[in-house]
Amino acid sequence: MLAILLIAFLVAGLAPLLHAPLGRRTGWVLALLPLGIFAYFLTFVPRVSQGEAVVHLTPWISSLQINLSFYLDGLSLLFALLISGIGALVLVYGGGYLEGDRYLGRFYLYILLFMASMLGLVLASNLITLFVFWELTSLTSYLLIGYKHQSEKARKAALQALLVTGIGGLALLAGLILLGFMAGTFELHELLAAPTPLQEHPAYLGALVLILVGAFTKSAQFPFHFWLPGAMAAPTPVSAYLHSATMVKAGVYLLARLAPAMGGTEVWLYAVAGFGLVTAFVGSYLALCYTDLKLMLAYTTVAALGTLTFLIGLGTPEAAKAMAVFLLAHALYKAALFMGAGSVEHGSGSRDVSQLAGLGPLMPLSFAAALLAAASMAGLPPLLGFIGKEVVYESVLHQAPSLLLVALVVAKVAVVAVALLVGLKPFVGSLRAPLGQKVHEVSASMWLPPLLLALLGLGFGLFPKPVEPLLVPAAGAVLGEAVAFYLALWHGLNLVLLLSLLTLLAGVLLYWLWERLGPALRVYERLFARLPERGYELSLEAMSALAAFQTRALQSGRMPRYLLLILSFTLLLVGSTLFLREGLVGRLDLAGFSVFEWALALLVLVGSLVVATTGSRLMAVAALGVVGYAVALIFLVYGAIDVAITQIAVETLTVILLVLVLRALPKGGLDVNPRGRWRDAALAVAFGALMTALVLGVTSLPFDTRLSEWFAEASYPLARGRNIVNVILVDFRALDTLGEILVLVTAAVGVYGLLRLRARRKERGGRV
């Protein structure tokens, strides 16, 4: 599986280069990659359907328990097939939709990178590896949403999606690390194979909240749903891919994957099922508030994500079955409908449903695809969407309170109305299209992919048997135990069927009343769409204001202010921690001091007092040098000759540099007011006392000689050096030393650049 991902990333990098020679055929050729991946994963269906799970492990950073390990069971196999299968069709469709676009090669690069990242996410077994791919999907989706980078709207939407999912990602990282420590392993296949009773762990609630924040932001659960419709600024092929089987389903996948290990508690039930149901209700009726086909579909995606989350929260065998079936049905019809919306826009010049009608005779193939997909979304027989709706109702009817069933039915009524609006209204009646636009059928690369997906929805509805080996193990993975079920179109005349009929009739009535509900829908839209987005905007404004305030307060550009802040915070944080937790540790024994050491201490003290009281810059520099040389003599007294030499060299160089700098400064003394000088002196004394306390505390502990003994023994055999300090600097911590040198060189280059810039400004000023 690692090889598959590496190949996908490699082909993604080559895609822009292939676009030039292949031209219009690029999409068809590149589609062979996901098609091959789809065929590869299809070979695992027989093994996985028998309950077998496949694990591939490649060590990466084993010391931190981070491995490139991959886990293929029913759930990850279902997602992998959807990602690769729909990905192939999106590549073909994208080639037709964006034909002639100057950045088409870039589109192929981004979409393949995203596909590979998404595959890595659903296949990863290591929690940290999963997070890496999780963030890769955020980054690549940012590039895809901002594909039309000349548009401010696209850039804003891309940044919004990145910020919301990125903040959720940070919470998720903390949650996954907590989960790994709670379980004693970061490998999902180990965690799921022998589930530790995580629910009883003291950190369970904290880990659950963090993981839910990550999953909810990624899957646009209420109140984080506002970013998903904004992502409609992306080209339609991107919307089709992100909304059907990939980006927004990542959070759903994570919840389903962790359900066996973390589910089963009241917190899980109320949080996951509760947010899911609210999201399903809010999203379904928000879809009726717009006339843009893509926006309407986007909000039905929000509703579908809410339904899937709700089912995962219930955690029953019937709910797991419904989740797997509805996941497949939604992926097929939603990708087809988004592609259909793009075809309508291409063929008629608009995707505003209020301006479109009668397109069916002129776009018969696009109409057929949209009609079948919309019928599946509405839950009409004999499509797979009908079976999906039936099993969803069945799972709620048997396990949840009646009120939840009523709420779900009411939400589905709105979905039926939206299905009629997007799949029927633009194509029937008298022809209506933007003035001057010649309506025409789109190219084969644009009508074939949605038609194939719609036909698959019809075929799996009529003959669901072929998908059972895929859906049964997927439901078992969500539940954490083996399940058995079969799918059928006809379940007899029962309450579930009556609820389906009631939903359809109410949906048709809502469709008929849609235009009359305008004022009420506008109020609903302000409450549930604009208000959460306004909250996001206010939080950004507050963050910007805070950043501006702290910049004014901290980034003054004056070195004394920086030193004051750094030393004050160090005193506050380190000092309070030391004295509150440990108190004064160690003892200063002055009895053994020699006369020479007392003399050196007195020299340091006098030098420091001169620095604090003198009004001459040169005198201050000289006094600082006296302090430094006295410290070097202390090193010498205690036998650290190399350290003493280093100290003397540093002090000499410092004094020379400071004197050279003083020559460039205006003549005069130190411009420091007396109050500030005594404040600085007091701070310096306090900081010195803190450092003394720290040194006394450290030296009072038993000295561990293992490291020094190892260096002494290993320096010559391993590095052929007898000077241990030198060997440590240039061999054992060579990379650290190299990094320090690079920092100094970078700083020196920066200073040189600033000096050159200043000189050039002077020259320009002279010419003016």
Side-chain angles (χ1 to χ4, degrees):
M1 284 180 265
L2 177 60
I4 291 287
L5 292 178
L6 292 177
I7 291 171
F9 279 116
L10 178 65
V11 174
L14 296 174
L17 302 177
L18 295 172
H19 176 52
L22 293 175
R24 300 175 59 183
R25 294 165 296 178
T26 310
W28 294 89
V29 174
L30 290 177
L32 294 175
L33 171 70
L35 206 58
I37 295 174
F38 180 84
Y40 169 76
F41 282 114
L42 212 54
T43 61
F44 287 95
V45 173
R47 293 167 62 185
V48 172
S49 64
Q50 297 301 315
E52 185 180 345
V54 182
V55 179
H56 289 173
L57 192 148
T58 303
W60 183 15
I61 313 174
S62 301
S63 59
L64 299 177
Q65 298 188 52
I66 301 174
N67 298 306
L68 288 172
S69 52
F70 300 99
Y71 178 58
L72 189 70
D73 66 348
L75 184 64
S76 49
L77 180 59
L78 174 60
F79 269 91
L81 289 172
L82 288 175
I83 293 164
S84 53
I86 295 179
L89 296 175
V90 166
L91 278 168
V92 173
Y93 182 85
Y97 183 87
L98 294 171
E99 185 179 346
D101 190 291
R102 60 183 297 197
Y103 299 117
L104 184 53
R106 196 180 294 177
F107 164 78
Y108 291 128
L109 167 67
Y110 295 162
I111 201 82
L112 285 172
L113 284 176
F114 177 78
M115 183 194 72
S117 305
M118 195 66 207
L119 278 172
L121 192 159
V122 301
L123 294 173
S125 179
N126 188 277
L127 292 174
I128 304 303
T129 308
L130 184 150
F131 175 76
V132 171
F133 285 113
W134 178 283
E135 288 302 292
L136 280 176
T137 63
S138 295
L139 288 174
T140 48
S141 63
Y142 167 77
L143 297 173
L144 285 168
I145 296 170
Y147 176 77
K148 299 174 184 174
H149 57 276
Q150 303 92 340
S151 163
E152 184 182 354
K153 182 182 176 185
R155 295 197 301 272
K156 186 178 176 184
L159 183 62
Q160 186 185 63
L162 183 67
L163 286 177
V164 175
T165 58
I167 291 171
L170 289 176
L172 176 66
L173 176 61
L176 292 179
I177 291 173
L178 264 180
L179 178 61
F181 282 116
M182 287 162 58
T185 176
F186 281 83
E187 294 297 328
L188 269 171
H189 65 274
E190 294 176 359
L191 192 152
L192 297 173
T196 313
L198 299 177
Q199 292 82 353
E200 298 173 6
H201 197 281
Y204 168 76
L205 185 59
L208 178 62
V209 170
L210 291 168
I211 289 171
L212 289 185
V213 170
F216 286 176
T217 50
K218 195 81 163 182
S219 280
Q221 297 297 297
F222 181 85
F224 307 111
H225 62 291
F226 57 86
W227 73 263
L228 194 146
M232 291 302 100
T236 299
V238 175
S239 305
Y241 201 33
L242 264 61
H243 284 240
S244 60
T246 53
M247 172 80 167
V248 295
K249 295 278 178 67
V252 171
Y253 168 79
L254 184 70
L255 292 176
R257 171 55 74 207
L258 296 179
M262 303 196 74
T265 62
E266 288 190 354
V267 179
W268 173 275
L269 173 66
Y270 292 130
V272 179
F275 273 93
L277 188 61
V278 171
T279 304
F281 190 88
V282 169
S284 60
Y285 282 90
L286 277 176
L288 291 169
C289 300
Y290 301 91
T291 58
D292 185 299
L293 287 172
K294 285 180 66 175
L295 271 180
M296 298 171 83
L297 291 172
Y299 277 113
T300 59
T301 300
V302 172
L305 294 171
T307 304
L308 290 167
T309 304
F310 170 68
L311 294 170
I312 294 169
L314 289 183
T316 62
E318 289 82 4
K321 169 188 171 184
M323 182 264 169
V325 178
F326 185 63
L327 178 74
L328 175 61
H330 176 260
L332 295 178
Y333 72 66
K334 189 50 64 71
L337 283 172
F338 264 110
M339 292 181 193
S343 299
V344 167
E345 186 182 10
H346 252 245
S348 69
S350 174
R351 57 173 195 248
D352 188 333
V353 72
S354 66
Q355 298 181 6
L356 298 171
L359 305 181
L362 300 172
M363 303 179 66
L365 295 169
S366 298
F367 178 34
L371 188 64
L372 282 173
S376 189
M377 185 167 92
L380 283 174
L383 291 119
L384 185 61
F386 171 74
I387 301 178
K389 189 172 65 175
E390 292 273 300
V391 293
V392 168
Y393 281 174
E394 193 176 34
S395 66
V396 182
L397 181 66
H398 294 160
Q399 303 294 332
S402 303
L403 186 62
L404 299 186
L405 180 62
V406 171
L408 196 62
V409 171
V410 174
K412 290 294 179 187
V413 167
V415 174
V416 172
V418 176
L420 292 170
L421 286 169
V422 300
L424 187 65
K425 188 177 183 301
F427 299 98
V428 297
S430 301
L431 181 62
R432 194 195 311 165
L435 191 64
Q437 183 68 32
K438 186 179 179 181
V439 179
H440 60 89
E441 181 59 280
V442 292
S443 63
S445 60
M446 290 184 67
W447 60 256
L448 185 60
L451 189 59
L452 279 176
L453 290 168
L455 289 173
L456 279 176
L458 176 63
F460 291 150
L462 288 169
F463 309 103
K465 193 76 176 173
V467 293
E468 286 177 3
L470 187 62
L471 298 181
V472 172
V478 176
L479 198 62
E481 60 187 47
V483 295
F485 61 83
Y486 70 93
L487 299 176
L489 198 59
W490 176 252
H491 286 263
L493 186 60
N494 52 27
L495 183 56
V496 172
L497 183 62
L498 291 176
L499 284 173
S500 292
L501 288 174
L502 177 65
T503 306
L504 289 172
L505 291 174
V508 172
L509 179 63
L510 188 58
Y511 167 72
W512 182 66
L513 293 172
W514 177 60
E515 292 183 351
R516 298 177 180 83
L517 297 175
L521 290 174
R522 280 194 288 276
V523 173
Y524 186 83
E525 189 249 353
R526 279 198 292 271
L527 280 176
F528 293 103
R530 294 188 190 180
L531 200 58
E533 186 166 17
R534 184 59 188 151
Y536 160 79
E537 290 170 353
L538 286 175
S539 65
L540 283 189
E541 290 171 7
M543 198 181 303
S544 299
L546 179 63
F549 167 74
Q550 70 89 22
T551 302
R552 286 194 304 272
L554 302 179
Q555 304 293 323
S556 62
R558 297 182 67 241
M559 184 60 76
R561 172 67 66 86
Y562 294 150
L563 286 175
L564 178 68
L565 290 171
I566 293 171
L567 296 184
S568 299
F569 274 96
T570 306
L571 268 172
L572 178 66
L573 300 178
V574 179
S576 60
T577 304
L578 175 67
F579 293 115
L580 291 176
R581 291 194 176 184
E582 303 294 337
L584 286 174
V585 181
R587 189 170 61 86
L588 184 59
D589 184 8
L590 303 177
F593 272 32
S594 65
V595 175
F596 185 65
E597 288 168 325
W598 277 112
L600 289 177
L602 183 62
L603 201 57
V604 170
L605 182 63
V606 170
S608 302
L609 286 173
V610 171
V611 171
T613 56
T614 184
S616 166
R617 293 168 178 163
L618 194 60
M619 180 63 76
V621 172
L624 274 178
V626 169
V627 172
Y629 287 123
V631 172
L633 288 175
I634 293 174
F635 289 141
L636 197 61
V637 168
Y638 285 92
I641 298 174
D642 48 352
V643 181
I645 293 173
T646 305
Q647 176 76 15
I648 291 171
V650 169
E651 289 300 330
T652 305
L653 188 61
T654 303
V655 170
I656 293 172
L657 288 175
L658 285 174
V659 170
L660 290 175
V661 170
L662 289 180
R663 289 184 59 200
L665 292 177
K667 291 184 179 178
L670 288 169
D671 186 17
V672 180
N673 64 66
R675 183 180 298 177
R677 177 167 294 187
W678 286 112
R679 177 201 62 202
D680 295 343
L683 181 63
V685 171
F687 192 76
L690 174 65
M691 296 308 297
T692 303
L694 285 172
V695 170
L696 289 175
V698 170
T699 53
S700 67
L701 298 174
F703 185 60
D704 190 344
T705 60
R706 285 177 297 173
L707 199 58
S708 53
E709 288 173 356
W710 184 87
F711 280 126
E713 293 171 1
S715 290
Y716 186 76
L718 294 181
R720 299 295 174 190
R722 297 188 186 281
N723 187 317
I724 298 173
V725 175
N726 287 349
V727 169
I728 291 173
L729 289 176
V730 300
D731 288 288
F732 293 130
R733 56 183 293 266
L735 284 177
D736 288 347
T737 306
L738 179 64
E740 291 166 356
I741 293 171
L742 286 175
V743 169
L744 289 174
V745 170
T746 305
V749 170
V751 171
Y752 177 73
L754 289 172
L755 292 174
R756 290 290 303 269
L757 187 64
R758 184 181 179 186
R760 286 179 183 175
R761 284 179 176 172
K762 278 188 175 180
E763 289 174 7
R764 283 200 296 269
R767 283 196 297 269
V768 171

